[in-house]
Amino acid sequence: MACLKSMQTKKDVITFTVPKSMLQLIPDIDANGLDIKRLRDHIETVDIYTTQSEAASAEMKEEFKDLTSEGYLRLMQDNKSGTIIWVMEEGEMITEFVAVTDIQGTVGVVRISGKFTPEDI
């Protein structure tokens, strides 16, 4: 995803990556019906990008405004919470899940890569 790669080098953008090895440390728990163990086994990495800078937020919003040009499908948009969820699919498998939030001008992005089905989520 070109826009995420450019975010890693932006001033005022905090990036954090959780690799599969760290995900394996998550205990086997059932969180309100969500089987964390089963889900973590399908995830390769989790990337988080956030900023409190108005300039960086504006740039991030512009870059993530329309991911369909990169082959992503818009799964959901919740205007109340300022969240848009995009997915990249290969056949019936989801290979990327991208949640973009815009809360009062502050943008945050969570990207989950792996191979999972909608039922896994």
Side-chain angles (χ1 to χ4, degrees):
M1 171 183 288
C3 53
L4 285 179
K5 290 186 188 322
S6 71
M7 286 296 114
Q8 291 175 339
T9 59
K10 298 284 184 203
K11 182 182 177 196
D12 299 327
V13 175
I14 298 168
T15 63
F16 184 75
T17 298
V18 181
K20 188 169 190 79
S21 58
M22 285 184 69
L23 293 169
Q24 296 305 316
L25 299 175
I26 297 173
D28 297 342
I29 57 173
D30 183 358
N32 295 325
L34 179 63
D35 184 349
I36 301 295
K37 180 183 185 304
R38 186 178 76 153
L39 186 57
R40 78 162 185 227
D41 291 341
H42 295 283
I43 297 172
E44 290 299 317
T45 59
V46 177
D47 298 308
I48 302 165
Y49 304 82
T50 188
T51 185
Q52 293 182 342
S53 161
E54 288 182 30
S57 287
E59 194 172 338
M60 286 175 73
K61 278 195 284 191
E62 187 60 33
E63 289 197 32
F64 289 102
K65 185 167 52 174
D66 188 17
L67 291 178
T68 56
S69 64
E70 293 189 38
Y72 288 81
L73 302 171
R74 186 181 293 212
L75 183 66
M76 181 199 104
Q77 180 169 348
D78 182 1
N79 292 330
K80 185 177 179 183
S81 69
T83 302
I84 301 174
I85 296 177
W86 302 87
V87 294
M88 176 69 76
E89 297 177 325
E90 284 182 17
E92 295 184 18
M93 299 298 287
I94 295 171
T95 58
E96 287 186 50
F97 175 92
V98 180
V100 181
T101 61
D102 179 4
I103 301 170
Q104 298 177 351
T106 299
V107 177
V109 178
V110 175
R111 176 185 168 260
I112 301 171
S113 64
K115 289 198 183 250
F116 37 88
T117 65
E119 292 78 26
D120 293 328
I121 300 172

